Amino acid sequence: MNLEDSEIISEVLDGRKDRFELLIQKYQSKVFTLVLRLVRDRETALDLSQEVFFKIFRKLSDIKDPRRAASWIMQVAHNSALDWLKKRRVDALATDFDDQQTQQRMFPFLQDRVNVSPEDIVDRLSPSLLSELVDRLDVKYRTVITLRFVDGFSFKEIAEILDLPLSTVKFRKHYALQLIRDRWLELAKNGDG
Amino acid sequence: MEPMDKCKEYRELIPEFVLDELDAVEMDRLDAHIGACHRCRHELVLMRGLTENLAAVEEADPGPGFARQVMSRIHSETWLERLSRLISTILDSRPLRVAVPALALGALLLLVIPPRAIRAPSGDGAGPELAARPSMGLYWTGGSIVVNNRSHPEAESGRLTLEKGDSVRTTASTRLTMAYPEGSTVDLDENTRLLVKTDGVFLSDGKIAASIEGLEPESFRVETKNAVITHLGTQFTVEAGDGRTHVEVASGRVGVTTDRVNDKVLFPGQFATVVGGGELEYGSLQRPVAGVNASLAPENVDVRFLY
């Protein structure tokens, strides 16, 4: 059975609390992925994600348009993670890519190669390496990349979630991709040297 | 060939090109340029590889039992929590977010709410709500333990408490007992690492023996990387490490949930082993359940806890 979010919400508001579990199951991975990318600690992300769904349950009657539940849920998740970062004063900025160990671990194939084509580099690119590159982006770029590429939201939905103009979201995506690309090649180049 | 600054302009469009976000005219222009420009073609290969690999990054998995845990909390929200939430809402909606009304309401609550609802008594089997659970005492022998990355010598045994969010690790030859206010104990073997959660613990590595008293069934859980072990009124051990979780039941019952198995109930003398992605094997033990050590906590629970 694949109920629409609005149907599930309507049932929960009618007193069928247990139906809320369907909404959790549908969005738990997306919420957890975003929160984990932002706070970068699994246990904290688990606790925060639980809080997110608890908060959503309590505020369910406040939802203005149940058809846009997905954006609303992700907005709560995003705000919760940002609040946590602010409270903890965690440095959410990117860390530099000047770690030689990281270079060697990521690009061992470059150690004994002189001329490497883009195809060679792409062949050795993996989702796990990209995951690390994304983790080192500033939080605002990390958020857009995670929502777009990992969680699969459209730019329009991301603009709603982050309450930003569509053009800003697209700029952040563009800039984030360039940053990832530059750091990726920087690693490859240094590793080559 | 077009000049270099034209290349720069085209390269700016490549991320949008690979994501199919350009209009038809720009798409055709860039397509024609790439056909004639070796450098921009390389750039296209890189950006296409990058976006394709980004799209292949998998969503993170919160683990088995996540939805159930949230639902359990929703079902167990107490009237006291609802009342405090209502008060928060009232305070948030007015410019009265100052200490005076908060203190006044706090004083009113103290008058209205019977002391039992705030101070959870131990050993009466009533089962205090987990969200209101106070800190638990720590008792250890054999050396130092590490709490939140800080080492504590044996001389501090009995003087430390743990709360939700704290991490604790025993070193080699150290044995530790975490004593919960309602009388439950969790004994940690040497080289064991766990995190305290609202509704139990997350065991990353090592072995624990849990003896749960005075709690409602399903209100205490041991989570590992690939399983959730739910107390159903019982004594049990859990061992975790190297992608494997091993559970043994000494008395009562426990439920074991993994990605593949939902709430397999184990009875005294039974064991379950969870490997990898959640495959579960279970059976009967041919020996008594081996705990990690006798509980180190003193018998008089009233002096153990700080409220």
Side-chain angles (χ1 to χ4, degrees):
Chain A
M1 186 166 55
N2 188 16
L3 286 178
E4 292 293 325
D5 294 346
S6 52
E7 293 175 75
I8 299 171
I9 290 169
S10 170
E11 288 185 358
V12 176
L13 291 176
D14 282 346
R16 295 190 61 187
K17 269 187 186 181
D18 57 311
R19 304 298 276 174
F20 188 68
E21 190 165 352
L22 295 175
L23 214 56
I24 302 173
Q25 283 165 351
K26 187 169 175 185
Y27 290 105
Q28 61 182 10
S29 292
K30 292 190 189 309
V31 165
F32 182 61
T33 298
L34 178 64
V35 174
L36 180 60
R37 284 270 174 228
L38 296 186
V39 304
R40 298 192 279 205
D41 177 77
R42 186 177 169 84
E43 288 314 303
T44 303
L46 276 172
D47 279 353
L48 278 175
S49 300
Q50 285 197 15
E51 284 297 324
V52 165
F53 282 107
F54 194 56
K55 201 180 287 179
I56 286 164
F57 176 79
R58 289 187 335 217
K59 304 267 184 187
L60 209 55
S61 58
D62 294 352
I63 189 167
K64 287 173 189 153
D65 184 355
R67 289 167 303 176
R68 292 187 173 172
S71 300
W72 182 61
I73 289 168
M74 297 308 290
Q75 196 171 44
V76 175
H78 177 246
N79 291 341
S80 298
L82 282 192
D83 284 348
W84 185 88
L85 289 170
K86 279 180 201 161
K87 276 181 195 160
R88 295 294 177 104
R89 295 181 182 170
V90 171
D91 181 8
L93 295 177
T95 46
D96 288 335
F97 261 124
D98 53 2
D99 177 349
Q100 199 177 351
Q101 277 188 333
T102 308
Q103 288 160 5
Q104 285 170 0
R105 182 164 51 82
M106 288 177 172
F107 295 98
F109 69 99
L110 291 169
Q111 303 302 311
D112 50 14
R113 298 283 298 272
V114 179
N115 294 313
V116 181
S117 71
E119 286 84 358
D120 280 334
I121 297 180
V122 169
D123 277 350
R124 278 134 176 117
L125 185 60
S126 66
S128 60
L129 165 61
L130 270 174
S131 219
E132 288 200 41
L133 291 166
V134 171
D135 273 348
R136 300 199 183 199
L137 291 174
D138 179 280
V139 69
K140 59 179 180 280
Y141 302 119
R142 210 153 75 221
T143 305
V144 170
I145 292 292
T146 302
L147 286 169
R148 176 67 184 90
F149 292 99
V150 187
D151 280 343
F153 287 99
S154 70
F155 289 115
K156 195 175 163 209
E157 287 170 318
I158 297 170
E160 272 183 20
I161 292 166
L162 304 180
D163 197 19
L164 289 171
L166 187 60
S167 56
T168 307
V169 172
K170 287 195 169 186
F171 168 77
R172 287 187 182 178
K173 174 264 307 177
H174 182 90
Y175 189 64
L177 285 177
Q178 293 292 359
L179 276 176
I180 296 172
R181 174 236 181 248
D182 291 350
R183 289 172 175 181
W184 170 32
L185 290 187
E186 190 185 328
L187 278 173
K189 187 180 159 193
N190 292 340
D192 198 13
Chain B
M1 183 180 286
E2 293 182 77
M4 284 288 280
D5 58 343
K6 208 67 183 164
C7 271
K8 195 177 170 194
E9 196 180 300
Y10 282 123
R11 280 186 199 186
E12 281 292 305
L13 297 175
I14 287 177
E16 283 67 36
F17 182 80
V18 298
L19 293 172
D20 207 15
E21 292 170 17
L22 293 180
D23 62 38
V25 176
E26 283 179 317
M27 193 79 90
D28 288 345
R29 269 179 59 216
L30 187 59
D31 212 12
H33 173 78
I34 283 170
C37 177
H38 180 68
R39 285 191 303 273
C40 287
R41 201 161 48 247
H42 276 190
E43 182 65 23
L44 178 66
V45 170
L46 288 177
M47 196 51 80
R48 185 165 279 148
L50 192 144
T51 52
E52 282 173 359
N53 275 278
L54 267 177
V57 174
E58 288 184 0
E59 286 182 331
D61 181 5
F66 176 85
R68 180 174 288 203
Q69 284 173 27
V70 179
M71 290 309 295
S72 169
R73 185 171 165 199
I74 285 169
H75 286 304
S76 66
E77 190 187 21
T78 62
W79 66 270
L80 180 59
E81 286 172 314
R82 282 191 211 109
L83 181 61
S84 78
R85 183 153 52 81
L86 182 65
I87 291 166
S88 300
T89 308
I90 292 167
L91 288 175
D92 280 347
S93 65
R94 296 173 183 205
L96 297 176
R97 281 180 287 171
V98 291
V100 174
L103 285 171
L105 279 162
L108 184 64
L109 276 177
L110 283 172
L111 288 173
V112 172
I113 300 167
R116 194 178 176 286
I118 296 175
R119 184 186 171 97
S122 56
D124 64 358
E129 289 295 336
L130 283 157
R133 180 180 288 172
S135 53
M136 72 285 294
L138 291 179
Y139 302 86
W140 69 96
T141 60
S144 58
I145 62 166
V146 180
V147 177
N148 297 332
N149 296 322
R150 195 174 152 208
S151 180
H152 296 272
E154 194 175 342
E156 289 181 40
S157 173
R159 290 195 276 135
L160 281 185
T161 58
L162 278 188
E163 291 176 338
K164 177 195 165 194
D166 289 337
S167 65
V168 60
R169 176 165 62 85
T170 54
T171 52
S173 78
T174 316
R175 303 291 168 90
L176 167 74
T177 292
M178 289 165 45
Y180 284 82
E182 70 283 340
S184 302
T185 55
V186 174
D187 297 332
L188 282 73
D189 207 348
E190 60 184 3
N191 294 321
T192 293
R193 187 192 298 263
L194 62 75
L195 180 93
V196 177
K197 302 191 66 169
T198 308
D199 54 0
V201 298
F202 181 90
L203 176 65
S204 337
D205 222 2
K207 180 177 177 181
I208 63 171
S211 176
I212 306 303
E213 291 177 26
L215 282 181
E216 293 293 330
E218 296 191 69
S219 55
F220 182 89
R221 293 178 180 80
V222 179
E223 288 179 49
T224 68
K225 283 171 187 163
N226 60 1
V228 178
I229 298 96
T230 310
H231 124 84
L232 301 169
T234 200
Q235 291 180 309
F236 59 98
T237 65
V238 183
E239 202 168 355
D242 297 322
R244 174 182 175 274
T245 300
H246 183 75
V247 186
E248 295 183 4
V249 182
S251 68
R253 294 175 301 148
V254 298
V256 181
T257 297
T258 75
D259 271 339
R260 304 259 174 101
V261 179
N262 191 19
D263 222 1
K264 168 66 192 164
V265 177
L266 301 177
F267 294 92
Q270 287 192 318
F271 73 89
T273 302
V274 182
V275 291
E279 297 85 351
L280 182 142
E281 286 178 15
Y282 68 97
S284 296
L285 289 162
Q286 303 302 314
R287 53 166 173 75
V289 174
V292 299
N293 62 314
S295 177
L296 302 167
E299 287 181 11
N300 184 356
V301 292
D302 288 332
V303 300
R304 285 191 264 155
F305 308 108
L306 304 174
Y307 287 87

